[in-house]
Amino acid sequence: MSPETSAPSRSLLQRMLDLLLTNEPRQRMSLVTTGLACLLMVFCILAMKLVAAAGLADEELVHWWALASGACVFASFALIRSGFTRHWHDPAFTHIQITYAITSNAAAYVIAGHARGIVPPILAVIMMFGVFGLGPAQIKAVLAYGLVAFCIAGAVVQWWGPPDATTPGALAAVYLLIVVMVLVTSTALTLRAHAVRERLQAKKRELSRAVEQIRDLATRDELTGLPNRRYMLEVMRIEGLRAGRSGQPLLMAQLDLDFFKAVNDTYGHGAGDQVLQCFARTVLACVRNTDILARWGGEEFVLLMADTSAEDGQRLLERVRATVADTPVQLAPGVIINLTISIGAAQLNRDETPLRLLQRTDEALYSAKRQGRNSVVWAE
């Protein structure tokens, strides 16, 4: 088959699967699991029909059993497909489906006559479905229910069933022993699988946290919690491309603490770290959520303002400068210092790179320093 003819076929198949199973991942998973249960029920009904056709079971009882069993499992599929259970903790209501399947299996044991030996293998497959959505407590509850259901089924067969369908005592004991073995071993394996899955999920969560921590270390300044130089360079690149496409203004400012070296020399580097942290909090409280403030290095910071006019940027930077000047930092009881900052700012020109824009803000910053500090200077 040529690629031209096979591609439409695959597309049609995909559309049919989406129609049957939807394309919502969680709902689709529940439908696949329930679809397997429907397939299992089809095989069970076929097996029971063959048993009845061979004269080993009552055809009328098998007929009504098949209708009831098939209707319930296919109704479950339709309920899940409708989306009614989408927001349930377990959209496939696995516990209910397995409980019903065990009930149906026990009923089949009663009506299967001398062919009831086909029931335990099917029970083993039913118990396997517990791996998909049951917790340990539910798994144990299913075990208890299965034991009770088959004890009742065995009693019905031995004491209330038709004489010609009664199983010899020794064979009945063997059947019951096999059922118990299937229930217990299936439960043990399901609990083991659940424990392994829980450990894997715990490892996955730990790995996710570790990856997140590594990402933070790579993109965050450890002292201030602000984005670092590496992160800011990538943001500058992206925002520069976006501004070039949209034509919206992009502003950048460099902020430098005045006389910061004197703070370190007088009070120590611990005090300097405290000043940087307080400064970062003060500036973040002044800027907008859309603005990006990063620590560039030492006492230098970079502020990126997208979709901001020069007039709005001037007002914002003046507010930042004034707020920092009006916010003294208390290093210790009785030790209070006043801070000021110098700011160099510029607007991205057409066909200008963000790195060139950064260079112009740096030049404007030095102009602010030469002009006496505690001021905002815009690049030409």
Side-chain angles (χ1 to χ4, degrees):
M1 180 180 292
S2 66
E4 290 77 6
T5 56
S6 61
S9 299
R10 287 196 299 269
S11 178
L12 177 61
L13 177 61
Q14 186 62 48
R15 288 199 299 269
M16 293 176 63
L17 286 175
D18 289 344
L19 181 64
L20 181 65
L21 302 175
T22 79
N23 52 14
E24 198 279 317
R26 192 162 180 255
Q27 188 179 9
R28 192 183 185 104
M29 185 179 298
S30 299
L31 287 170
V32 169
T33 303
T34 305
L36 291 173
C38 291
L39 185 61
L40 174 64
M41 183 57 69
V42 168
F43 284 126
C44 291
I45 291 174
L46 178 61
M48 289 295 289
K49 287 289 188 180
L50 291 174
V51 166
L56 299 175
D58 186 286
E59 288 192 20
E60 185 176 0
L61 289 177
V62 169
H63 173 74
W64 288 110
W65 171 87
L67 284 179
S69 299
C72 283
V73 72
F74 284 100
S76 297
F77 186 93
L79 185 63
I80 297 170
R81 179 62 183 82
S82 71
F84 182 77
T85 68
R86 183 181 306 166
H87 301 294
W88 291 9
H89 176 70
D90 177 14
F93 44 96
T94 309
H95 191 193
I96 296 175
Q97 288 207 61
I98 290 180
T99 301
Y100 174 77
I102 291 175
T103 304
S104 174
N105 196 242
Y109 181 86
V110 172
I111 67 175
H114 295 299
R116 56 179 54 95
I118 66 173
V119 170
I122 298 172
L123 178 62
V125 178
I126 292 172
M127 294 296 291
M128 288 173 56
F129 281 84
V131 175
F132 294 106
L134 299 187
Q138 291 175 315
I139 294 170
K140 294 173 185 177
V142 166
L143 168 64
Y145 178 79
L147 291 173
V148 171
F150 274 91
C151 283
I152 294 173
V156 169
V157 169
Q158 292 304 118
W159 290 299
W160 292 286
D164 58 345
T166 301
T167 303
L171 186 57
V174 170
Y175 284 157
L176 183 60
L177 180 63
I178 293 174
V179 166
V180 171
M181 180 189 69
V182 167
L183 288 171
V184 172
T185 55
S186 298
T187 300
L189 291 173
T190 303
L191 287 171
R192 177 63 178 169
H194 183 273
V196 170
R197 185 175 59 187
E198 286 295 310
R199 283 199 296 272
L200 289 175
Q201 289 177 347
K203 292 292 185 183
K204 183 179 178 181
R205 288 191 294 268
E206 290 177 6
L207 181 60
S208 297
R209 285 194 295 267
V211 170
E212 190 64 30
Q213 289 173 355
I214 293 172
R215 184 182 294 114
D216 282 343
L217 290 173
T219 60
R220 291 279 171 183
D221 174 58
E222 187 175 359
L223 178 64
T224 62
L226 296 175
N228 61 15
R229 187 186 190 109
R230 176 184 299 176
Y231 179 85
M232 192 55 153
L233 283 171
E234 180 63 17
V235 172
M236 286 164 52
R237 185 187 68 82
I238 294 172
E239 291 297 336
L241 292 173
R242 182 179 293 126
R245 289 194 302 267
S246 66
Q248 294 296 320
L250 176 65
L251 305 183
M252 185 184 297
Q254 285 199 53
L255 296 71
D256 186 90
L257 278 164
D258 298 328
F259 305 109
F260 181 73
K261 184 176 182 300
V263 175
N264 281 332
D265 293 342
T266 304
Y267 301 102
H269 290 281
D273 290 346
Q274 186 178 344
V275 166
L276 291 173
Q277 291 171 336
C278 292
F279 171 76
R281 289 195 296 268
T282 300
V283 177
L284 281 177
C286 294
V287 300
R288 305 160 301 185
N289 291 334
T290 54
D291 300 327
I292 302 174
L293 177 68
R295 186 182 180 194
W296 197 248
E299 68 273 24
E300 292 185 0
F301 296 78
V302 172
L303 179 64
L304 199 63
M305 298 162 281
D307 301 337
T308 304
S309 66
E311 293 77 11
D312 289 340
Q314 173 66 18
R315 284 193 292 269
L316 186 148
L317 293 175
E318 279 293 343
R319 182 169 69 247
V320 169
R321 184 201 61 77
T323 302
V324 171
D326 293 338
T327 308
V329 178
Q330 182 172 347
L331 299 179
V335 181
I336 298 176
I337 62 172
N338 295 307
L339 301 177
T340 61
I341 57 171
S342 299
I343 302 175
Q347 179 173 335
L348 183 69
N349 294 326
R350 183 180 297 275
D351 298 327
E352 184 179 32
T353 67
L355 290 180
R356 173 55 187 157
L357 174 64
L358 179 68
Q359 183 180 352
R360 292 199 296 122
T361 62
D362 189 56
E363 294 168 355
L365 174 62
Y366 277 103
S367 296
K369 294 288 188 180
R370 288 193 300 268
Q371 294 176 19
R373 298 180 171 83
N374 191 23
S375 61
V376 178
V377 173
W378 286 80
E380 296 294 334

